[in-house]
Amino acid sequence: HNFSLQFELPWQKNPMVRRRNRIPITERIMPPGGRIETALAEDEVLAAAELLKARGVQSIVIGFLFSFLNDRHEKRAKELVMQVLPDAYVHCSSEVVNVMREYERFSTSAMNAYIGPKVAKYLHNLETSLAHAGIKAPIRVMQSNGGIATIETCSNKAVTILMSGPAGGVIGGKWAGDLSDTHNLITVDIGGTSADISVIPDGKVRIKNPRDTE
């Protein structure tokens, strides 16, 4: 069935953003310098926000074609949407991952919108619970690049903590290797559902694009 045109794939049948909720807005920013060719149609943004409000949508992504060159339209659209939906989880694609190519930017932003509200609620509940328990240390959350970030940053950019567990295993492995003055390492991070293996040559953790192959 892999090559059948009639085969139903889960991500096609149940997309993160339904087609009817993908609303086009008139605007155009031109490459390569980010010049505004067509002004943002603010009335269309407000109408779209009202429609999404009527449909009960509470998590919204604003993504325009060349916003990685000039995010002015996205930011203004966000302001307008927040006027209509002040309590919604609203983010611009340029805020989440400001990179060239709309598919990568939009899909990553959609994933952020999908998990963001629950992640934000969980992290703030954690912060409150620890404070009530008398723990006053600042909370830092591991990110998928091996670094750490604040509760606020991870609430706004929840997508950056996806796969942070395996990344944490690699960072922990390097730390343990440094303690024993061992710099060529193979780490094995075993959890409840997976076993993640990584190589650390010469004490250097490498960050690579999954598309890169050797």
Side-chain angles (χ1 to χ4, degrees):
H1 295 293
N2 287 356
F3 303 101
S4 170
L5 296 178
Q6 284 73 44
F7 186 51
E8 288 189 351
L9 297 169
W11 53 87
Q12 292 176 341
K13 189 175 182 180
N14 299 294
M16 282 191 289
V17 183
R18 292 180 179 178
R19 185 182 295 272
R20 69 190 185 118
N21 289 334
R22 304 172 206 164
I23 303 174
I25 301 296
T26 300
E27 67 87 38
R28 183 50 55 93
I29 287 172
M30 297 298 290
R35 175 178 57 84
I36 296 177
E37 173 77 10
T38 304
L40 176 69
E42 297 193 358
D43 57 334
E44 293 181 14
V45 177
L46 290 169
E50 292 288 356
L51 180 60
L52 294 175
K53 180 180 180 179
R55 292 176 177 172
V57 175
Q58 285 296 311
S59 192
I60 298 171
V61 174
I62 298 167
F64 295 146
L65 195 59
F66 290 107
S67 61
F68 69 94
L69 294 173
N70 182 349
D71 62 1
R72 181 176 172 182
H73 283 175
E74 279 195 355
K75 287 185 174 180
R76 177 54 182 160
K78 180 179 179 179
E79 291 175 354
L80 296 169
V81 170
M82 294 295 291
Q83 291 177 16
V84 179
L85 290 154
D87 298 323
Y89 189 87
V90 184
H91 284 89
C92 304
S93 72
S94 56
E95 293 175 329
V96 177
V97 52
N98 193 31
V99 298
M100 184 174 68
R101 301 192 185 285
E102 61 272 17
Y103 176 78
E104 287 83 349
R105 187 156 35 88
F106 292 177
S107 60
T108 303
S109 299
M111 194 178 298
N112 188 74
Y114 181 72
I115 65 173
K118 287 187 177 180
V119 168
K121 182 178 179 181
Y122 175 86
L123 290 176
H124 285 113
N125 285 344
L126 174 65
E127 187 175 39
T128 301
S129 298
L130 290 174
H132 287 165
I135 299 174
K136 299 180 180 180
I139 302 172
R140 296 293 180 263
V141 182
M142 178 68 69
Q143 295 190 287
S144 57
N145 63 0
I148 58 174
T150 63
I151 292 283
E152 198 62 33
T153 295
C154 292
S155 296
N156 290 327
K157 296 183 179 180
V159 73
T160 63
I161 65 176
L162 289 175
M163 302 302 291
S164 57
V170 176
I171 298 299
K174 181 186 182 307
W175 175 80
D178 289 343
L179 289 179
S180 58
D181 199 31
T182 302
H183 303 296
N184 289 303
L185 304 164
I186 298 175
T187 66
V188 183
D189 179 17
I190 300 176
T193 58
S194 65
D196 300 294
I197 302 170
S198 182
V199 176
I200 303 176
D202 299 322
K204 297 176 181 178
V205 174
R206 295 181 296 178
I207 298 177
K208 301 195 72 175
N209 188 318
R211 291 180 174 179
D212 293 341
T213 58
E214 296 178 1

